Amino acid sequence: MTVYDAVVLAGGAARRLGGADKPGLRVGGRTLLDRVLGACDDAGRTVVVGPRRATARPVTWAREEPPGGGPLAGLDAGLRRVAAERVLVLSADLPFLTPAAVRALLEALDGASAADGAVLTDPGGREQPLVAAYRTESLRRELALLAAEHGTLAGLPLRLVTADLSLARVHHPTASFDCDTWEDISTARGRIRDDRSVLDEWISAVKAELGIDLDVDKTGLLDLARDAAHGVARPAAPLTTFLVGYVAALRGGGPEAVATAIREAGALAARWAEEARAAEEPGTPDGSS
């Protein structure tokens, strides 16, 4: 992965949300800010510009000058605290931003040597400058020129900083979805409960809540739970998966320990089911020999 820093803009008045603390609103059990921070947790340094809040992982805090001075003032405050040659710039209200989308932006920037940045486009093809990776010095140069021209960065529109930059474009169907209204919040909360993604969302939320980073073999665990429920009894499913996790932790943790425990418990469930079938059919092998 390319070394990069991240600047997350978490200020703003959220007027369309009635002044609510937008980055602190929860979608899928996690705050919008924590969801964004989770997507860029491999950044060398992450600077959050805005009022201090509780976050799931450590960050560097900054405030724009003046407070409430707008996105360019916030971006300037964040850039003063980063050191990497590439910087990821994000708003704090992106519920569907993923590590894969972040990687795509960084790879697009690396692949376009003449570009100043790589910006995500929304489903309508519009560029989203607050879901983008930039060359740090290109942003600093443009901000300095704007400050010299206007005497301040406060209140200036975001589009001014990207107007003269050469940008690569990366399309993603959902990562640029942001939450400006209560309707957007409601849409996001409903979408993550869609049957096609609810397990991934739930596992990500649990891992974040428990402070762990582990690749979960969903298929293996679900198959084990199914076999325990059908071959033993329904309550055996959650208890068996708990015991698998427990013994994997005792054995040092990690995906290999989990996979081994799943195989062992799965074999036991298969033997148990074979004995049950034998008991129902007198005269058949019981599987014990």
Side-chain angles (χ1 to χ4, degrees), residues 6-67:
V7 172
V8 181
L9 301 185
R15 293 182 181 87
R16 296 169 68 185
L17 287 166
D21 177 27
K22 181 165 63 171
L25 294 177
R26 295 185 181 275
V27 172
R30 291 188 288 163
T31 67
L32 288 171
L33 177 56
D34 277 339
R35 294 180 72 88
V36 171
L37 294 177
C40 60
D41 62 358
D42 59 347
R45 174 179 294 181
T46 301
V47 181
V48 179
V49 183
R52 288 177 178 268
R53 306 169 175 87
T55 54
R57 68 176 180 86
V59 299
T60 299
W61 291 95
R63 284 307 306 267
E64 68 274 29
E65 186 61 43

Side-chain angles (χ1 to χ4, degrees), residues 141-223:
R141 179 193 69 230
E142 293 302 309
L143 288 172
L145 290 172
L146 289 171
E149 180 180 352
H150 297 274
T152 181
L153 294 173
L156 295 181
L158 183 64
R159 58 180 171 77
L160 291 180
V161 79
T162 57
D164 293 326
L165 295 180
S166 172
L167 300 174
R169 293 158 63 97
V170 176
H171 179 70
H172 193 286
T174 58
S176 64
F177 181 92
D178 57 2
C179 294
D180 291 327
T181 67
W182 287 112
E183 182 179 0
D184 294 335
I185 294 290
S186 179
T187 297
R189 287 171 172 169
R191 185 179 294 177
I192 68 164
R193 285 168 172 78
D194 183 277
D195 288 343
R196 292 169 295 179
S197 59
V198 66
L199 279 180
D200 289 334
E201 290 287 351
W202 172 246
I203 289 170
S204 295
V206 172
K207 291 195 295 185
E209 190 73 14
L210 299 180
I212 59 174
D213 183 15
L214 176 69
D215 290 332
V216 177
D217 180 5
K218 296 194 301 295
T219 300
L221 285 170
L222 289 174
D223 286 348

